[in-house]
Amino acid sequence: MNAYRIVEVPAPAAADVTPTPAYLAISEIEAEHGRETVGHEDLADPPERLVAAAVPQRHSRHIHLIAVSDDVTDQPSEPAQVLGVASLDLPMDDNTHFAELWIGVRAAHRRRGIGRELWRAAEEHVLSHGRTTVAGWSAHGGEATEAEEAVHAESGVGRIRAADAAAIFARRLGFTLEQTERQSTLRLPIDPQTLQAWRLEAQSVAGQDYRLVQWVGRTPERWLEEMAELNRRMSTDVPMADLDMQEESWDAGRVSDYDDRRELRGMQTVLSAAEHVPTGVLAAYTFVVLPRDKPEVAYQENTLVRAEHRGNRLGLLVKAANVEQLADRFPQVRRIHTWNAGENEHMLAINIRMGFQVAAVEGAWQLRLTPRG
Ligand SMILES: CC(C)(COP(=O)(O)OP(=O)(O)OC[C@H]1O[C@@H](n2cnc3c(N)ncnc32)[C@H](O)[C@@H]1OP(=O)(O)O)[C@@H](O)C(=O)NCCC(=O)NCCS
């Protein structure tokens, strides 16, 4: 007999509505998971951010399915009535075959079949939205050691402990480990002279054809088209192993819509790019986002050097310059968290040089479903 059932959380009408107990619970589940894997809550979404992200909008759809105790008739009135969550993210502009999934069950309610029931409900949604590939990322305190039984990434690199609950769970459901990502953290402040020395070294290799362009907040009108092109390339040029993700379609309108979304979610962008002066294109960029609710934290987002401009130290140039800009404008930030594919050697080399320390490893799991006839 099940003492729980699965219900869908209604999408909020606006980004600033008060979070319902369901959103409070999802945030608690993410925070508990953070404490278990990395020992902190820096990576968990507060309820207000979850609400803002779940408002229906053009480019992607977020669905939260929750397992509630069976005394709940409709929606929970207390966060404690929520035992677990399955969060789905469905891209709408491109990759309409794809769904991203995360399942979390409160530690006190695991091994009761709740995770599997959440997956069954999520699979229904995935198929009814015409999606045939599902991928999910699991977090682990570290890679499997040589002495431990491991699951090896099929198409990328890295190994996850076979005995970790997430690995057992994902494999039982039929998912394959395709890739691993390193989650690393850079602790701030860094000596300003060291940062400046990195930037000057990189600028001297890059030469006078490249000039730094920086901003905080929304993308200036002048760079919207360039940002669209950089974001498109980010979807094709980053190592993806056999994760079934296709090229994203970007235009200036989508760049601007994403700026709106970040603002609604309480995230501020801090960006550094390198303009190739003779052609006026942005040859490289990197940006971090700062959550207003966690003033000591920054999340590293995209970093990319266009293929035709690689080998000119632009990666180090934009990254060092962006940390300088961050230290100058937001000196309260103490930690930058970043994620890199295990096989992304050039990016990892820059991060290691800058002092990023590995904090966790994530497994990228994928399952291909048979479409409904
Ligand atoms: C992974 C997680 C969601 C599993 O939830 P759960 O409710 O405990 O899972 P279920 O009870 O439905 O178990 C489903 C299957 O996985 C197996 N399983 C799950 N956790 C296990 C563990 N720790 N040890 C052995 N088997 C385990 C179950 O035996 C069951 O197999 P079966 O149906 O063939 O008997 C839960 O441990 C969790 O929330 N972990 C933290 C978040 C996370 O890592 N999410 C996964 C992202 S991919």
Side-chain angles (χ1 to χ4, degrees):
M1 188 196 70
N2 287 345
Y4 56 85
R5 51 198 198 83
I6 312 291
V7 296
E8 183 173 350
V9 180
D16 56 358
V17 301
T18 306
T20 57
Y23 287 103
L24 298 176
I26 298 167
S27 177
E28 287 176 5
I29 292 168
E30 287 190 11
E32 180 181 43
H33 180 50
R35 290 192 300 273
E36 284 174 345
T37 49
V38 280
H40 58 72
E41 298 179 10
D42 278 6
L43 311 182
D45 295 304
E48 294 74 17
R49 209 191 295 159
L50 291 168
V51 166
V55 174
Q57 42 87 30
R58 265 181 53 196
H59 305 287
S60 64
R61 192 135 177 242
H62 291 266
I63 298 171
H64 294 293
L65 304 166
I66 49 174
V68 291
S69 46
D70 63 0
D71 56 329
V72 176
T73 47
D74 180 20
Q75 290 295 308
S77 54
E78 297 289 335
Q81 292 168 329
V82 180
L83 313 179
V85 62
S87 300
L88 278 172
D89 193 354
L90 311 177
M92 303 303 277
D93 293 325
D94 44 54
N95 286 284
T96 52
H97 66 292
F98 188 82
E100 192 177 322
L101 170 71
W102 187 76
I103 295 183
V105 176
R106 286 192 196 271
H109 296 280
R110 292 186 189 152
R111 308 297 309 273
R112 292 172 54 196
I114 296 176
R116 190 180 272 283
E117 277 311 307
L118 282 163
W119 161 241
R120 283 208 184 100
E123 187 183 17
E124 278 302 305
H125 279 263
V126 167
L127 287 168
S128 69
H129 283 86
R131 314 281 158 143
T132 49
T133 301
V134 190
W137 278 258
S138 61
H140 308 259
E143 267 207 342
T145 63
E146 287 302 321
E148 288 170 316
E149 196 192 331
V151 190
H152 295 261
E154 296 263 319
S155 47
V157 302
R159 26 192 286 130
I160 299 283
R161 261 188 299 273
D164 281 3
I168 299 173
F169 178 71
R171 294 170 92 192
R172 287 272 160 87
L173 303 185
F175 282 73
T176 302
L177 182 69
E178 293 293 351
Q179 190 182 42
T180 64
E181 287 198 346
R182 269 191 224 170
Q183 192 262 299
S184 323
T185 300
L186 180 65
R187 298 206 170 258
L188 303 179
I190 296 181
D191 171 23
Q193 288 183 348
T194 305
L195 281 174
Q196 190 194 43
W198 286 336
R199 174 171 52 77
L200 293 177
E201 172 203 316
Q203 185 74 65
S204 79
V205 174
Q208 294 311 309
D209 276 358
Y210 295 98
R211 156 180 102 80
L212 272 174
V213 178
Q214 297 182 302
W215 64 82
V216 170
R218 301 187 66 83
T219 312
E221 190 74 25
R222 151 103 173 77
W223 298 115
L224 285 171
E225 292 289 349
E226 283 299 306
M227 285 297 289
E229 176 58 14
L230 287 168
N231 288 349
R232 183 188 71 75
R233 291 195 184 208
M234 194 69 204
S235 72
T236 55
D237 288 15
V238 169
M240 296 281 187
D242 276 352
L243 290 169
D244 183 17
M245 286 147 105
Q246 293 166 5
E247 182 174 322
E248 295 178 2
S249 56
W250 282 87
D251 59 17
R254 184 168 173 188
V255 173
S256 191
D257 286 352
Y258 271 65
D259 284 344
D260 292 343
R261 284 179 59 184
R262 273 191 215 107
E263 283 177 355
L264 282 173
R265 286 165 54 222
M267 310 289 261
Q268 198 162 23
T269 303
V270 178
L271 185 144
S272 296
E275 180 190 4
H276 182 239
V277 181
T279 55
V281 303
L282 290 186
Y285 78 142
T286 190
F287 69 97
V288 297
V289 292
L290 311 183
R292 291 223 166 81
D293 46 84
K294 297 187 200 282
E296 294 196 345
V297 174
Y299 304 116
Q300 175 70 53
E301 299 272 341
N302 304 358
T303 300
L304 178 85
V305 180
R306 283 192 189 204
E308 59 274 32
H309 293 279
R310 291 194 188 144
N312 294 316
R313 231 33 90 82
L314 296 180
L316 180 63
L317 176 67
V318 293
K319 282 209 77 161
N322 211 37
V323 178
E324 275 186 306
Q325 176 174 220
L326 189 63
D328 183 37
R329 299 285 301 271
F330 303 94
Q332 79 282 2
V333 175
R334 289 286 167 273
R335 299 176 291 283
I336 306 178
H337 298 294
T338 192
W339 290 259
N340 304 107
E343 62 270 36
N344 199 346
E345 282 170 34
H346 295 299
M347 190 72 260
L348 286 167
I350 293 174
N351 286 347
I352 289 165
R353 174 157 183 207
M354 290 181 71
F356 277 87
Q357 303 272 338
V358 180
V361 60
E362 294 200 353
W365 302 87
Q366 177 167 269
L367 176 66
R368 289 191 168 85
L369 300 170
T370 311
R372 286 232 171 101

